[in-house]
Amino acid sequence: MSIHGDIKRVTTHTLQSMKDHGEKISMLTAYDFSMAKIFDDAGIDVLLVGDSASNVMAGHETTLPITLDQMIYHAQSVIRACDRCLVIVDLPFGSYQGNSKEALNSSIRIMKESGAHGIKLEGGEEVCESIKRIVGAGVPVMGHLGLTPQSIYKFGTYSVRAKQEEEAEILMHNAKLLEDAGCFSIVLEKIPAALGGEVAAALKIPIIGIGAGMHVDGQVLVMHDMLGITKNFSPRFLRRYLNLYDEITTATKSYIKDIKDKDFPNEKEQY
Ligand code: KIV
């Protein structure tokens, strides 16, 4: 059901209206112009310029190495492609944890230099002061709780979070703090579906899940996973809509063969 399909530009208010009307929110990551154009034309509600660019675009093992300048470069490319969707950009590791002034400065750089519509940052109580300051400057903020990849060395694994009651209570507490601090939405990553539903029911703002089950207000996937470009990543929550790794491999092999066989270019494919 899409009662907001005809909307010309998705805003944070549109997302709130979607939640209020029971319409699920669709979100994907994007890092470059060409893919963002396809997603926007297809009608995606939100594109996230995720710091997962560090993994899927740059080949790093974690999200930690990507810089603010690199995030801005990706964000500029995505923004140029988007006429309808809301574009949110991750604050990368090291660009906001220092203090709230640094968090504000990094957010302003992203907004000013890329033209993005808002930022996302990871964490609970410890980032609330920063969120208030950024929101106070007029910048929409999306929170991120549960599995927070920028803290991977603190947690040690990428396993499901908040399975135990104590951690679940902390997550719920932090979600409420983020809402009170002014977040317009929160991403919940890799937590039990029941907890995802409880958070979505307890908060007014839209809750977007990645591995947080069916009861939240929307879903996000990393585009490389959704399109089957990443091969060795198969968490339970992932649904692949294509198997592009194999399709691109087949196409590349055909291309190589055609060149070697002197079949490409043919008479019609030259000047
Ligand atoms: O960086 C990213 O891709 C993300 C999503 C997993 C939500 O934060």
Side-chain angles (χ1 to χ4, degrees), residues 100-224:
S100 61
K101 187 164 189 284
E102 190 183 8
L104 176 63
N105 288 342
S106 300
S107 305
I108 287 176
R109 273 204 63 200
I110 287 178
M111 301 298 284
K112 236 182 172 23
E113 295 177 38
S114 77
H117 310 132
I119 62 97
K120 174 165 88 56
L121 47 70
E122 297 181 5
E125 192 166 5
E126 70 281 8
V127 290
C128 279
E129 191 193 320
S130 297
I131 292 169
K132 284 181 193 156
R133 206 159 171 173
I134 299 166
V135 173
V139 178
V141 177
M142 181 179 263
H144 186 154
L145 294 169
L147 174 60
T148 46
Q150 291 180 11
S151 308
I152 184 58
Y153 291 118
K154 181 172 145 199
F155 294 113
T157 73
Y158 287 99
S159 56
V160 180
R161 292 289 138 78
K163 275 164 104 174
Q164 309 301 328
E165 206 174 315
E166 195 189 348
E167 204 189 330
E169 277 169 17
I170 295 171
L171 188 140
M172 176 66 89
H173 175 68
N174 278 323
K176 287 178 178 165
L177 288 179
L178 293 188
E179 180 172 69
D180 290 346
C183 282
F184 73 87
S185 173
I186 299 173
V187 165
L188 293 182
E189 182 165 352
K190 226 174 171 186
I191 61 163
L195 178 60
E198 283 166 28
V199 175
L203 270 62
K204 290 196 187 68
I205 58 172
I207 304 301
I208 316 281
I210 172 164
M214 60 171 76
H215 308 297
V216 290
D217 306 306
Q219 301 292 330
V220 56
L221 285 176
V222 170
M223 57 157 270
H224 291 71

Side-chain angles (χ1 to χ4, degrees), residues 8-27:
K8 288 219 156 43
R9 171 61 86 177
V10 177
T11 67
T12 57
H13 300 281
T14 319
L15 301 190
Q16 186 62 57
S17 174
M18 286 178 177
K19 171 160 184 158
D20 297 343
H21 289 87
E23 178 177 345
K24 299 279 186 184
I25 297 163
S26 62
M27 174 163 152

